[in-house]
Amino acid sequence: MSTFDPPLTLVPRSTHIHVDASYTCGVAPGRTVEAVGVLDGQAPQGSCLGHTGPARTEIVRYADGERSVIVYPDMTTVRAGGALYNRLTGRVVEGRGKGRTATRTTPALSGQPSTDCLTPGLRGSSGHTQLEIHP
């Protein structure tokens, strides 16, 4: 679940973004572990059309007691199949997967009518997020 303060509109403005995520992670062939991630960041130019801004950090805590700290310096908004997706690309700087590249992709307006961007603004969104920590 993502929350935006102030709500996102079509006009870019400084916005605080907070994300609570749940993942099922493949950690070995045939072995998965549940995990939760928390991401906080400030988007100086946040809007329903995308978010730019400084690096964001996600802390992923795995059910087996391990964790990963991922720093995402880059974010792009891409259009695929008529939908907008936010893609963060970064590196694991601590814990499981340290030194590996990570990619986090989530729908920009998952489950929300696009008219929410007009009035009063998009306060949050939820949907399927995919986190990949590349070998």
Side-chain angles (χ1 to χ4, degrees):
M1 173 70 173
S2 300
T3 57
F4 312 112
D5 184 26
L8 296 178
T9 64
L10 295 174
V11 178
R13 62 183 171 179
S14 182
T15 305
H16 179 259
I17 300 169
H18 176 84
V19 178
D20 292 308
S22 297
Y23 302 111
T24 300
C25 307
V27 293
R31 182 171 163 242
T32 62
V33 65
E34 299 299 312
V36 294
V38 175
L39 184 144
D40 267 299
Q42 190 70 23
Q45 294 294 308
S47 79
C48 284
L49 303 176
H51 323 288
T52 61
R56 294 171 177 93
T57 301
E58 180 175 20
I59 298 173
V60 179
R61 297 185 190 282
Y62 302 91
D64 63 5
E66 298 244 3
R67 76 180 194 144
S68 298
V69 178
I70 307 168
V71 175
Y72 302 105
D74 296 318
M75 184 182 137
T76 57
T77 300
V78 295
R79 183 175 292 278
L84 287 176
Y85 292 88
N86 292 322
R87 180 170 292 145
L88 293 126
T89 304
R91 183 162 301 280
V92 180
V93 297
E94 186 180 313
R96 179 178 272 156
K98 182 177 180 180
R100 295 181 178 176
T101 299
T103 306
R104 183 179 197 284
T105 306
T106 189
L109 298 174
S110 178
Q112 316 302 322
S114 57
T115 54
D116 283 0
C117 291
L118 302 174
T119 302
L122 187 65
R123 296 185 183 284
S125 68
S126 61
H128 178 77
T129 296
Q130 182 172 333
L131 173 63
E132 297 176 77
I133 297 177
H134 306 280

